[in-house]
Amino acid sequence: MTAMGEIRGNCRVEYASLTDVGARRSHNQDNYAVVVADSDSSWCERGHLFLVADGMGAHAVGELASKLAADIIPHTYFKHLEAGAPAALYRAFQEANRAIFERGQQNLGFAGMGTTATVLALHPNGAWVGHVGDTRLYRIRNGVIEQLTFDHSLRWEVARRRQEDPDQVTDVASNAIIRSLGPEMTVEVDLEGPHSVQAGDIFLLCSDGLSGLVTDAEMGAIASHLPPKEAANFLVALANLRGGPDNITVILVRVQEFQPPNDRQRLSWWKRLGRSFLHWLKTATPGQLALLAIALTVLSLLVAGLGFHLRGEQAARIALLSVAVSVFVAASGIFIWGLYRLQKMERHSEEPEPAPADQPRINPPRAYRRASCVLNEELLGRLTQVQRTLLELIQQSQWPYPTQAYESLVRQRAELLRKGKLAEAFHVQLQAVALLAEVARRQQRRAEVFLPNWNGD
């Protein structure tokens, strides 16, 4: 499943998303969600949201858990966005957790039901992150890739306590998750932001089916030198070349332009006042609603009283205005009473929601790991090795492949290298490897065949 698009306006982005079952799984337990604003006004009000979720449990159970997260989190986030992006994200994660937990209690076959989830919310004031589990969010900027999420895994927790790099912790299982949505009634959510956003930034969300097989530097270099759709396809192909033992999901978001909304693009004051008033009406207590009705009645009486002190046409106009205000007050009273009754009915019909375990704690933006993804000879050499190994495998197996197209790419790469155009040569070489990888991928689907990894081991 793949999707891509381009959004113009004050936050102009090009994005692509791709999910793949992998080379060893029969079911895809990953899910993702992309909700983008389609206009400047929508961007100012809502922003963009991207989500990746990786389900855990039996096949159908894990898939259901990640699907619930991918459906509930975006819906709840936008529903409560008036409270601010961090509060809306917190509410969205808690409601998704509650729904998954309750579903897990309904059937013994749903035992162990859970999912990870990572959300990137691009907002006019920056990038907000909501995160539970070991799905990841990266930002690539100026030749550096930064991991903006902390893995809620036993390995990362041990590394934190030892003050070591997680890659140096080899005595702990890498796939042991210590926090996820669903197993418990409440969940602690990592909320961080706002991260700065600028033109040229690339955000990458992925499940551990990708990050467990492709290094940060490799992901950064590939995402930097290929358009989002090509980069997503190549990253998934590379993970499958390395065995693809898990489902693989990736979302790439390239920011082409980012401008905070100016005064003209913001909602006018009367629109904001009207929306605030409607929001107040929905949440007001009966006492507050009664005070509003009294205030409107007093206003009506004041206008009517003014009519008694004027004569002629002015008096007639004031009298008409008084009648209009009286009608308005009566209608307002009916509306307020109806709203009160509706609130009362909702309170009696809905089960009380459990209070969250704690209030949302917003952490300042930070990067948990950084790596250089600047193109160099070592990276080109590793890519050349896997290209050579793939070609040997294809030729020895006598698999048909588009020889002319491949040789054309090889000649283009050699010419670009001769001219010293390293980045362009890397781009062309990625296309060549992708072509060979697709051939090997089709053959692998027909029969179990060992495929080489990036290093050609």
Side-chain angles (χ1 to χ4, degrees):
M1 182 175 6
T2 182
M4 65 172 296
E6 183 174 353
I7 302 300
R8 300 187 178 276
N10 291 315
C11 184
R12 190 159 59 95
V13 299
E14 183 183 4
Y15 65 91
S17 54
L18 178 63
T19 185
D20 187 84
V21 69
R24 297 288 182 263
R25 295 290 183 92
S26 59
H27 292 74
N28 192 346
Q29 294 182 294
D30 286 0
N31 268 287
Y32 68 87
V34 174
V35 184
V36 292
D38 57 2
S39 65
D40 285 349
S41 60
S42 179
W43 154 249
C44 295
E45 296 177 39
R46 296 162 56 87
H48 309 316
L49 182 138
F50 305 89
L51 174 150
V52 168
D54 181 357
M56 299 175 295
H59 294 312
V61 172
E63 186 176 351
L64 174 60
S66 64
K67 183 67 167 60
L68 286 170
D71 290 341
I72 293 172
I73 290 177
H75 173 77
T76 308
Y77 169 76
F78 289 116
K79 179 181 177 181
H80 296 281
L81 194 52
E82 288 182 355
L89 275 177
Y90 180 79
R91 180 69 176 270
F93 272 79
Q94 291 294 343
E95 290 200 10
N97 180 77
R98 177 188 172 195
I100 298 168
F101 174 78
E102 290 180 350
R103 186 66 65 89
Q105 301 299 306
Q106 294 175 3
N107 192 311
L108 290 177
F110 291 171
M113 181 178 183
T115 183
T116 66
T118 298
V119 171
L120 165 66
L122 283 178
H123 205 258
N125 65 350
W128 291 93
V129 181
H131 170 66
V132 173
D134 64 348
T135 42
R136 291 182 179 178
L137 170 65
Y138 295 91
R139 181 181 62 189
I140 304 163
R141 176 188 289 177
N142 298 328
V144 175
I145 181 170
E146 300 174 313
Q147 183 175 337
L148 305 184
T149 51
F150 182 92
D151 284 8
H152 298 141
S153 66
L154 184 58
R155 171 175 287 184
W156 272 61
E157 182 60 25
V158 170
R160 183 185 66 82
R161 296 180 181 181
R162 295 179 182 174
Q163 296 185 343
E164 297 178 355
D165 188 309
D167 291 339
Q168 297 175 348
V169 178
T170 58
D171 57 338
V172 177
S174 61
N175 60 347
I177 305 302
I178 60 175
R179 196 191 306 177
S180 60
L181 298 178
E184 305 292 338
M185 185 178 295
T186 59
V187 66
E188 182 182 353
V189 183
D190 284 359
L191 297 173
E192 297 187 6
H195 290 273
S196 65
V197 181
Q198 63 187 38
D201 285 350
I202 301 170
F203 291 94
L204 188 157
L205 297 91
C206 66
S207 60
D208 65 333
L210 178 65
S211 59
L213 296 172
V214 183
T215 68
D216 294 357
E218 293 165 354
M219 285 190 285
I222 292 166
S224 299
H225 291 89
L226 286 177
K229 183 179 180 181
E230 291 183 37
N233 287 330
F234 189 87
L235 287 170
V236 169
L238 180 57
N240 278 317
L241 283 173
R242 292 181 171 174
D246 200 354
N247 308 140
I248 310 159
T249 300
V250 59
I251 299 177
L252 280 164
V253 184
R254 184 188 296 270
V255 180
Q256 298 177 323
E257 183 177 351
F258 183 87
Q259 295 179 355
N262 56 38
D263 292 338
R264 289 183 179 181
Q265 292 161 338
R266 294 185 186 275
L267 290 175
S268 58
W269 68 270
W270 60 269
K271 270 190 176 180
R272 282 180 281 139
L273 181 62
R275 290 192 175 189
S276 298
F277 179 67
L278 288 175
H279 179 69
W280 180 83
L281 282 178
K282 293 177 181 178
T283 57
T285 64
Q288 292 172 328
L289 293 175
L291 287 175
L292 175 62
I294 292 172
L296 290 174
T297 302
V298 171
L299 176 62
S300 175
L301 293 174
L302 288 175
V303 173
L306 182 61
F308 288 106
H309 293 82
L310 298 174
R311 297 180 179 178
E313 293 183 1
Q314 285 185 329
R317 291 174 183 171
I318 294 298
L320 288 175
L321 180 60
S322 176
V323 172
V325 172
S326 299
V327 172
F328 172 72
V329 170
S332 299
I334 294 172
F335 170 74
I336 291 171
W337 177 252
L339 188 62
Y340 166 68
R341 294 294 299 174
L342 181 61
Q343 287 181 345
K344 194 172 182 180
M345 289 172 61
E346 287 179 347
R347 291 192 186 102
H348 285 288
S349 62
E350 292 182 355
E351 295 181 1
E353 294 186 3
D358 55 1
Q359 295 302 313
R361 182 180 61 188
I362 305 171
N363 299 317
R366 61 168 294 186
Y368 293 93
R369 289 204 300 187
R370 291 183 175 87
S372 172
C373 55
V374 174
L375 190 59
N376 53 40
E377 293 293 340
E378 178 186 359
L379 194 58
L380 275 176
R382 295 168 72 184
L383 183 58
T384 299
Q385 180 61 41
V386 72
Q387 178 181 345
R388 184 180 300 115
T389 306
L390 267 174
L391 182 61
E392 290 176 356
L393 175 64
I394 290 171
Q395 291 176 338
Q396 290 174 2
S397 303
Q398 296 183 347
W399 293 336
Y401 71 100
T403 308
Q404 292 184 349
Y406 172 74
E407 291 179 350
S408 174
L409 291 171
V410 171
R411 289 193 296 269
Q412 290 180 45
R413 173 186 177 277
E415 181 64 18
L416 289 168
L417 284 177
R418 188 182 64 80
K419 295 179 179 179
K421 298 181 178 180
L422 200 63
E424 290 87 343
F426 182 65
H427 187 173
V428 171
Q429 189 170 9
L430 287 173
Q431 292 177 314
V433 174
L435 185 151
L436 297 178
E438 179 58 27
V439 172
R441 172 77 163 166
R442 288 198 303 267
Q443 297 298 328
Q444 184 191 33
R445 289 298 187 189
R446 297 175 183 174
E448 291 294 332
V449 178
F450 172 76
L451 295 176
N453 64 21
W454 179 282
N455 296 310
D457 296 337

